[in-house]
């Protein structure tokens, strides 16, 4: 993938701040938090943390509690194995990420909105403030949840980081019927898929001839060749401004 | 009172006593009463096997719920219920003890009391794994480290003993074990730097009869395996119910990891008797023998698994054995009379030991200790298996084990002891994306895997085998299922709607076989 100079600058800033805060917090963060929140807190499977206000953690004490106890009903786990002082170091580091100057956006959000609703066809699969299709994730709040690097990657290489619930699976039934769709849920005996038309399929694994997860694939097309890099930056600028719900 | 009234009262009292009497003789011969489930693992040998065969490979597909009990306390259940004389006894997640009519699931009585606001459960969720019954009394531990004796008929408190200080991180999650006149109780708290012990209490009075420290003090053998004062905070919790050999009067009990968990610098030496199985004389608590699976552990590989007592021909001789599928990914056979190591076989992926030598000591591979940057090792912190029970079927001579196939990055950090705080010195980041689970059938004499049934994710549920040649097990996704005990072929499954994190049991209702298991926040009872 091409390197964006802005991303490089942002990473340098992150590194600089980390050193100022001491390496320990960063090391702990990279080891325990970065898998979901990404190096530098730009967001991935978990929300971006490199922002001044964290909706679930208004102050350091709440952030400590969130790290210690996790968030019920989400994938944020409790971290009972970390000591009090280790969590405090992580809190300091996460707060430092929020003070990093935000990456300047080169795109035009209004042109981005036009592309989103028009030629890009994004609205067919995504909801923003209640309007749009349901095949992809709701983007109402995406600017708060994900950093710009993640948004750019999602447009050019949508298979690079597929969210839980959007993993593509191909199943071939005993009679040869094929279903490809998002894996909505799965256990050791059954799997639930939603196909590209939004229909649910409940399949018993015993009855399947083949079940093939396709990691690194997405039902979303890549826009790398469909749009110019300027147009992609326009959409990134539009998405980065979507901060609808708190 | 007239003579006849006195007689009536006497007869009534006597018959009530007889109704609720689970004598030591009954516990010792639990296998003769397959319609009941009288002790945590089904019998003292911890086979978790039922000789009931009404539910079989031919009809298990018709198994369906008979009743469901939903708990009043929040928190997921890990309890293993008891069934005695028409009553099911169970513990809820925060420790409430409940008696149910086994025919209907309707509540007969409930005991609970508020937990302290500053309750410490360091390193584990609020949970309780079950209880013991002896005579007319049921016994349960509490999260604030008390042992409670309740009248089996009414739920009234007979006595209440403080086992240890919860302020220091001691807690109780294990089911007690009832033997002849004594209640054996282990403690949790290894992540708080407690000094572990196993206690025996007089069943009638609650007086403590003995205490065995799993970390020996100065002047006691084994203390030399701890550097400096590290023994004082050495861990070695006894947080899972052990087994009992009535013939030799030995308690066979697993012990937890040394503290701090992932940074062993402050505790040079083997750290006896952590990550071990100890055999204790039941009358005195004196140590008869021990075997240490993981000397100087730095991966949190507690030996708090179920020691399964069997007799088999090993190395050309019929022997009394302890079989244990250990958290460190090896299956061990140990001579139950002497503690002598006989053999070890890996039963899951492991990348930390080249082999186990002829004395039973692991030959370590280099660079597998936790580091600041993280060291990738199989199995993960939670081990190749954990507290959930295996099951041994004397019909197939297979030990059925729920296996977790997962690796972890282990991290090392500084650890400073503060009373009642976490004392761990590191942590892990598990490789969840590549992880999976399995039910494996191990040859009891060799540990070799005869079959496996793969699960989507690593399980937290135990296993039950039956004379119907079925193996019952559960999954994190809520499946409760039955496998063919000889082939592993899945024959039946039921979606419970909650994680299965408990051990199944078998018993009878009106002479008909049923299977019970906790899942999510409910108890499910299945019958034909």
């Amino acid at each position: 993938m091409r390197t964006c100079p802005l991303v490089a600058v942002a990473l340098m800033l992150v590194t600089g701040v980390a050193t100022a805060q001491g390496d320990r917090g960063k090391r702990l963060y990279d080891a325990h938090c970065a898998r979901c929140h990404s190096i530098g807190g730009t967001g991935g499977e978990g929300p971006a943390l490199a922002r001044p206000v964290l909706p679930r953690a208004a102050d350091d004490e709440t952030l400590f509690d969130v790290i210690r106890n996790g968030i019920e009903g989400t994938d944020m786990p409790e971290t009972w194995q970390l000591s009090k002082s280790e969590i405090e170091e992580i809190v300091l580091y996460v707060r430092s990420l929020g003070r990093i100057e935000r990456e300047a956006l080169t795109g035009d959000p209004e042109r981005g909105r036009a592309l989103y609703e028009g030629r890009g066809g994004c609205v067919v699969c995504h909801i923003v403030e209640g309007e749009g299709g349901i095949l992809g994730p709701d983007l109402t709040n995406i600017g708060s949840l994900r950093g710009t690097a993640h948004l750019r990657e999602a447009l050019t290489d949508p298979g690079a980081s597929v969210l839980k619930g959007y993993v593509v699976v191909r199943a071939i039934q005993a009679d040869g019927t094929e279903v490809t769709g998002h894996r909505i849920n799965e256990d050791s005996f059954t799997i639930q898929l939603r196909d590209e038309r939004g229909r649910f399929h409940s399949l018993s694994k015993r009855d399947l001839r083949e079940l093939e997860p396709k990691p690194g694939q997405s039902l979303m097309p890549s826009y790398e060749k469909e749009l110019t890099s300027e147009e992609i930056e326009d959409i990134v600028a539009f998405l980065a401004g979507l901060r609808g719900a708190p | 009172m007239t003579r006849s009234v006195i007689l009536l009262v006497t007869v009534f009292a006597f018959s009530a006593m007889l109704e609720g009497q689970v004598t030591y003789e009954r516990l010792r011969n639990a296998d003769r009463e397959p319609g009941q489930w009288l002790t945590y693992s089904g019998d003292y040998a911890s086979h978790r096997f039922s000789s009931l065969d009404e539910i079989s490979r031919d009809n298990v597909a018709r198994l369906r719920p008979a009743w469901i009990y939903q708990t009043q306390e929040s928190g997921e259940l890990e309890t293993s219920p008891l069934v005695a004389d028409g009553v099911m006894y169970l513990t809820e997640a925060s420790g409430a003890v409940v008696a149910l009519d086994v025919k209907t699931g309707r509540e007969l009585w409930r005991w609970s009391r508020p937990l302290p606001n500053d309750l410490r459960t360091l390193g584990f969720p609020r949970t309780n794994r079950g209880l013991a019954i002896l005579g007319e009394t049921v016994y349960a531990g509490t999260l604030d480290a008390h042992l409670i004796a309740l009248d089996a008929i009414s739920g009234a408190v007979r006595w209440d003993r403080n086992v240890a200080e919860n302020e220091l991180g001691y807690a109780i999650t294990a089911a007690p074990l009832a033997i002849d006149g004594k209640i054996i109780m282990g403690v949790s708290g290894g992540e708080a730097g407690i000094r572990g012990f196993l206690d025996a209490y007089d069943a009638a009075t609650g007086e403590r009869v003995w205490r065995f420290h799993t970390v020996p003090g100065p002047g006691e053998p084994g203390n030399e395996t701890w550097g400096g004062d590290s023994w004082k905070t050495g861990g070695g919790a006894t947080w899972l119910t052990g087994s009992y050999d009535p013939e030799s009067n030995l308690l066979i009990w697993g012990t937890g990891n040394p503290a701090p968990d992932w940074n062993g610098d402050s505790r040079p030496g083997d750290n006896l008797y952590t990550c071990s199985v100890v055999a204790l004389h039941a009358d005195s608590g004196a140590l008869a023998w021990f075997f240490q699976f993981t000397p100087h552990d730095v991966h949190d590989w507690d030996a708090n698994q179920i020691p399964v007592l069997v007799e088999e021909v090993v190395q050309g001789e019929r022997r009394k054995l302890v079989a244990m599928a250990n958290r460190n990914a090896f299956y061990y056979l140990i001579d139950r009379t002497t503690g002598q190591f006989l053999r070890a076989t890996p039963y899951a992926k492991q990348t930390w030991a080249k082999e186990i030598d002829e004395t039973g000591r692991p030959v370590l591979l280099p660079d597998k200790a936790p580091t600041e940057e993280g060291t990738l090792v199989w199995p993960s912190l939670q081990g190749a298996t954990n507290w959930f029970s295996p099951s041994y079927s004397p019909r197939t001579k297979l030990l059925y084990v729920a296996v977790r196939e997962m690796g972890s990055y282990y991290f090392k950090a500084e650890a400073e002891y503060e009373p009642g705080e976490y004392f761990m010195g590191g942590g892990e980041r598990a490789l969840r994306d590549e992880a999976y689970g399995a039910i494996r059938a191990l040859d009891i004499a060799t540990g070799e895997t005869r079959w496996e049934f793969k699960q989507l994710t690593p399980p937290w549920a135990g296993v039950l085998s039956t004379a119907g040649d079925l193996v019952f097990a559960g999954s994190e996704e809520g499946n409760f299922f039955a496998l063919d005990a000889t082939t592993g072929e899945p024959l039946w499954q039921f979606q419970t709607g909650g994680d299965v994190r408990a051990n199944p049991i078998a018993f009878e209702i009106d002479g008909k076989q049923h299977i019970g298991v906790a899942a999510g926040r409910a108890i499910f009872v299945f019958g034909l």
Side-chain angles (χ1 to χ4, degrees):
Chain A
M1 210 174 77
R2 74 209 148 100
T3 315
C4 170
L6 286 171
V7 176
V9 169
L11 284 173
M12 277 163 66
L13 282 165
V14 171
T15 317
V17 172
T19 311
Q21 292 293 336
D23 281 345
R24 195 161 166 242
K26 175 172 164 48
R27 268 210 312 272
L28 288 162
Y29 173 91
D30 288 353
H32 297 283
C33 319
R35 184 183 159 267
C36 294
H37 296 287
S38 295
I39 298 282
T42 54
E45 216 171 286
L49 302 175
R51 47 185 163 142
V53 180
L54 298 175
R56 299 242 194 201
D59 53 39
D60 288 0
E61 207 180 319
T62 325
L63 182 54
F64 183 98
D65 285 346
V66 165
I67 298 171
R68 166 64 84 213
N69 302 317
I71 300 172
E72 217 179 321
T74 73
D75 284 336
M76 175 73 187
E78 55 175 11
T79 52
W80 54 270
Q81 74 273 27
L82 294 170
S83 72
K84 191 163 164 268
S85 70
E86 286 169 333
I87 295 180
E88 284 164 356
E89 299 269 2
I90 295 175
V91 167
L92 277 178
Y93 177 69
V94 169
R95 288 293 179 214
S96 79
L97 295 174
R99 290 192 290 275
I100 298 167
E101 215 171 300
R102 215 183 281 274
E103 180 189 341
L105 297 166
T106 57
D108 175 347
E110 276 315 307
R111 281 204 309 261
R113 175 189 290 276
L115 284 162
Y116 181 94
E117 290 169 354
R119 190 151 56 87
C122 315
V123 71
V124 175
C125 295
H126 294 280
I127 285 185
V128 170
E129 289 178 5
E131 296 294 324
I134 49 80
L135 195 58
D138 187 330
L139 300 179
T140 303
N141 199 24
I142 197 69
S144 298
L145 296 175
R146 306 281 177 248
T148 47
H150 187 277
L151 296 175
R152 195 174 290 116
E153 183 187 69
L155 286 160
T156 55
D157 185 9
S161 58
V162 176
L163 287 174
K164 204 171 142 184
Y166 294 92
V167 173
V168 177
V169 171
R170 178 168 158 266
I172 302 175
Q173 291 168 278
D175 63 1
T177 320
E178 194 178 315
V179 183
T180 296
H182 287 140
R183 182 177 64 189
I184 305 302
N185 212 341
E186 183 178 0
D187 63 32
S188 296
F189 296 86
T190 69
I191 187 163
Q192 292 72 36
L193 302 181
R194 188 169 57 203
D195 68 19
E196 69 278 7
R197 293 175 61 189
R199 289 177 309 197
F200 283 111
H201 298 264
S202 171
L203 305 173
S204 164
K205 289 185 180 178
R206 283 180 84 173
D207 302 336
L208 295 179
R209 200 186 294 167
E210 207 179 316
L211 182 63
E212 187 193 2
K214 294 178 172 290
Q217 286 196 25
S218 170
L219 293 186
M220 174 171 157
S222 165
Y223 287 89
E224 193 162 25
K225 288 179 184 144
E226 303 299 316
L227 301 172
T228 66
S229 56
E230 286 75 22
E231 286 172 328
I232 284 174
E233 289 309 314
D234 290 342
I235 298 183
V236 167
F238 167 65
L239 295 174
L242 295 178
R243 291 160 185 273
Chain B
M1 246 190 298
T2 66
R3 218 184 140 108
S4 59
V5 170
I6 291 170
L7 186 68
L8 188 68
V9 168
T10 313
V11 166
F12 182 74
F14 186 64
S15 61
M17 191 182 80
L18 278 183
E19 282 287 319
Q21 280 279 10
V22 178
T23 61
Y24 167 67
E25 281 308 308
R26 286 182 72 188
L27 289 172
R28 185 176 174 166
N29 300 303
D31 55 338
R32 291 183 200 158
E33 292 187 74
Q36 320 284 330
W37 194 271
L38 298 177
T39 188
Y40 182 77
S41 292
D43 57 18
Y44 283 146
S46 300
H47 289 181
R48 200 168 282 277
F49 170 80
S50 170
S51 57
L52 298 176
D53 60 3
E54 184 193 351
I55 301 167
S56 68
R57 288 180 286 199
D58 298 332
N59 60 24
V60 68
R62 291 196 278 116
L63 208 58
R64 61 185 191 281
W67 53 258
I68 296 166
Y69 168 77
Q70 302 205 29
T71 60
Q72 289 188 24
E73 288 182 352
S74 62
E76 296 203 343
L77 291 178
E78 297 186 3
T79 191
S80 188
L82 300 181
V83 174
D85 305 323
V87 181
M88 175 181 281
Y89 302 92
L90 64 110
T91 49
E92 297 192 0
S94 289
V97 182
V98 184
L100 306 177
D101 168 12
V102 81
K103 283 188 192 179
T104 62
R106 295 292 290 164
E107 186 178 303
L108 300 173
W109 55 258
R110 153 182 296 269
W111 172 87
S112 70
R113 60 146 203 234
L115 289 163
N117 288 333
D118 58 351
L119 179 79
R120 283 176 160 77
T121 55
L122 302 178
F124 50 90
R126 289 187 176 199
T127 197
N128 185 292
R129 303 209 168 90
L131 19 74
I133 186 164
L134 182 65
E136 299 171 287
T137 311
V138 292
Y139 302 87
T142 65
L143 284 167
D144 56 346
H146 283 243
L147 176 60
I148 313 281
L150 303 171
D151 183 88
I153 309 285
S154 68
V157 176
R158 292 287 185 196
W159 52 258
D160 172 349
R161 292 286 172 270
N162 187 11
V163 172
E165 296 307 307
N166 179 247
E167 291 78 10
L168 296 176
Y170 289 97
I172 296 177
T173 55
L177 182 73
I179 58 172
D180 193 7
K182 289 189 200 69
I183 305 302
I184 313 300
M185 190 72 257
V187 290
S188 306
E191 273 64 55
I194 60 152
R195 183 183 174 209
F197 58 78
L198 189 67
D199 275 357
Y201 293 85
D202 183 298
T205 66
E207 296 307 313
R208 198 167 90 203
V209 183
W210 53 254
R211 169 167 290 182
F212 170 79
H213 278 286
T214 56
V215 180
E220 294 175 324
N223 181 260
E224 72 285 354
T225 66
W226 295 85
D229 280 344
S230 60
W231 62 274
K232 289 182 178 170
T233 54
T238 47
W239 58 274
L240 187 66
T241 312
S243 304
Y244 177 57
D245 179 355
E247 224 170 277
S248 60
N249 198 26
L250 289 180
L251 290 158
I252 315 284
W253 217 276
T255 67
N257 61 291
D261 304 49
W262 299 287
N263 184 341
D265 295 352
S266 63
R267 45 175 176 86
D270 279 357
N271 307 138
L272 293 175
Y273 304 98
T274 62
C275 296
S276 302
V277 58
V278 294
L280 307 178
H281 293 288
D283 290 337
S284 63
L287 181 69
W289 55 257
F290 73 92
F291 174 78
Q292 188 175 42
F293 301 96
T294 317
H296 189 75
D297 167 61
V298 286
H299 296 99
D300 193 5
W301 291 331
D302 285 306
N304 302 101
Q305 289 84 55
I306 299 288
V308 179
L309 311 188
V310 290
E311 282 190 39
E312 270 303 316
V313 176
V314 179
Q315 296 171 359
E317 207 182 308
R318 187 164 186 85
R319 291 172 189 260
K320 295 181 180 193
L321 302 164
V322 179
M324 185 187 276
N326 192 272
R327 186 158 160 173
N328 72 13
F330 286 88
Y331 169 78
Y332 290 80
L333 285 179
I334 295 151
D335 186 301
R336 192 158 83 233
T337 317
T338 62
Q340 187 199 343
F341 166 80
L342 296 173
R343 67 178 299 155
T345 314
Y347 65 93
K349 179 171 177 179
Q350 67 84 20
T351 62
W352 66 280
K354 181 168 170 276
E355 60 180 347
I356 307 295
D357 74 15
E358 69 277 7
T359 67
R361 199 176 177 87
V363 180
L364 300 181
L365 288 167
D367 306 322
K368 296 300 179 183
T371 55
E372 282 197 8
E373 298 71 35
T375 310
L376 181 59
V377 179
W378 271 262
S380 78
L381 162 72
Q382 305 296 357
T385 194
N386 206 298
W387 62 266
F388 37 83
S389 293
S391 174
Y392 171 68
S393 167
R395 291 168 59 86
T396 59
K397 304 242 178 206
L398 295 173
L399 183 75
Y400 305 100
V401 184
V403 180
R404 300 173 57 84
E405 286 285 4
M406 182 156 83
S408 271
Y409 285 95
Y410 287 86
F411 295 93
K412 180 181 180 178
E414 285 163 24
E416 198 177 326
Y417 178 76
E418 278 180 64
E421 297 293 335
Y422 281 106
F423 183 52
M424 296 188 293
E428 72 152 1
R429 192 180 78 224
L431 295 182
R432 290 180 204 286
D433 295 345
E434 301 162 30
Y436 69 97
I439 304 299
R440 293 209 171 117
L442 311 185
D443 184 309
I444 195 74
T446 66
E448 279 154 22
T449 299
R450 293 283 175 245
W451 57 254
E452 77 162 0
F453 171 76
K454 271 199 181 176
Q455 292 180 266
L456 186 69
T457 52
W460 281 105
V463 180
L464 165 81
S465 62
T466 71
D469 288 332
L470 294 170
V471 170
F472 290 91
S475 82
E476 277 293 279
E477 293 80 34
N479 310 102
F480 183 58
F481 55 93
L483 307 175
D484 183 318
T486 55
T487 65
E489 189 200 341
L491 300 174
W492 170 81
Q493 77 101 6
F494 180 85
Q495 176 54 249
T496 62
D499 308 354
V500 187
R501 294 189 168 181
N503 300 314
I505 64 168
F507 55 95
E508 285 179 334
I509 302 174
D510 289 337
K512 307 287 278 180
Q513 184 185 2
H514 284 74
I515 306 290
V517 72
R521 297 175 185 183
I523 301 279
F524 291 76
V525 167
F526 299 94
L528 289 173

